Amino acid sequence: MHPSGVQFGLSQGLLRRRGEEILLSDQLLETISRQAQMHVQLGRPAIRGNFLVDITVRAAQDALGNHYQGRREEIVPFFASLNRTMYYTLCGVAERAGLAHKEPRRLLINPDFWNEFATKAVDANIKPGKSAAKIQKALFKVCHHIVKERYAKNDPDNVRHADLTALFIFNFWNATGLLPMTQAVVIFGSQL
């Protein structure tokens, strides 16, 4: 993030520093986590465009209210880099729960977590002929369940972030191609 965007975010309580990293503030993380909880409770699709970025931007705008106290040169870089800042923040949240390992330029899913998900996805016994949306919903349910279990075991103080983290991981798998491959395996497996 551009230094002027960082300064703006820090001055407004929307960002925080952890060493050299610039992350979402705890308050902003809590807000998007509550939005993710509502998303899951309402049964909305786990994959829906860039909705995680959308809720992060809305949460930042709501926190600022109508009094953007900053110059355009500060506000624009802040919002332009908010999606990347959200990504790095959620990588750290997933890492603390034992779901992934964050490297400087990439996120590596914990192999035990992936293996458990893949096994349970195949064992979910999804019936042939189900729509892609129903298959995704069933796979998200598996992912969500495992994430909640891992939070309870590895990071119980932050279990409130399980819905957000499950949505983040599931969308990450979709963006990297792992989810479509899993869907194909599940469909193929259900036809045997």
Side-chain angles (χ1 to χ4, degrees):
M1 184 179 287
H2 189 275
S4 62
V6 171
Q7 183 56 39
F8 174 77
L10 291 170
S11 71
Q12 299 298 313
L14 300 172
L15 299 177
R16 64 183 173 93
R17 286 188 190 274
R18 187 177 72 197
E20 292 296 312
E21 287 186 302
I22 301 298
L23 304 170
L24 299 179
S25 69
D26 291 339
Q27 178 184 355
L28 195 54
L29 179 61
E30 294 296 332
T31 301
I32 65 172
S33 190
R34 284 191 301 274
Q35 290 294 318
Q37 289 168 5
M38 275 199 306
H39 189 89
V40 171
Q41 289 170 359
L42 292 172
R44 292 186 177 146
I47 297 171
R48 191 169 152 193
N50 287 326
F51 81 95
L52 289 174
V53 174
D54 293 343
I55 64 174
T56 303
V57 168
R58 268 196 313 277
Q61 289 171 331
D62 290 348
L64 290 171
N66 291 330
H67 59 284
Y68 287 4
Q69 297 175 342
R71 299 181 325 245
R72 183 170 195 252
E73 297 82 22
E74 298 172 323
I75 295 170
V76 171
F78 169 76
F79 280 103
S81 297
L82 195 56
N83 63 339
R84 182 178 298 205
T85 306
M86 177 207 69
Y87 171 79
Y88 287 127
T89 302
L90 295 181
C91 285
V93 171
E95 186 172 36
R96 285 189 299 278
L99 302 168
H101 172 70
K102 184 176 150 280
E103 292 189 351
R105 295 199 171 265
R106 62 185 177 166
L107 180 68
L108 301 172
I109 297 299
N110 178 325
D112 293 337
F113 172 49
W114 174 254
N115 290 337
E116 183 178 356
F117 171 75
T119 300
K120 289 184 176 183
V122 171
D123 292 345
N125 198 19
I126 296 170
K127 304 286 186 238
K130 289 230 179 205
S131 70
K134 288 186 179 183
I135 293 171
Q136 268 188 5
K137 188 173 186 172
L139 292 176
F140 178 72
K141 188 176 179 181
V142 170
C143 174
H144 187 239
H145 180 75
I146 297 168
V147 168
K148 287 182 358 185
E149 286 178 339
R150 297 241 172 175
Y151 260 100
K153 179 181 173 190
N154 300 325
D155 194 14
D157 292 341
N158 289 306
V159 73
R160 67 192 177 282
H161 297 312
D163 294 342
L164 175 60
T165 307
L167 289 165
F168 171 67
I169 293 288
F170 204 69
N171 278 269
F172 175 77
W173 286 342
N174 188 54
T176 59
L178 287 172
L179 186 60
M181 287 189 313
T182 304
Q183 287 174 290
V185 168
V186 167
I187 292 167
F188 179 72
S190 70
Q191 295 172 349
L192 296 178

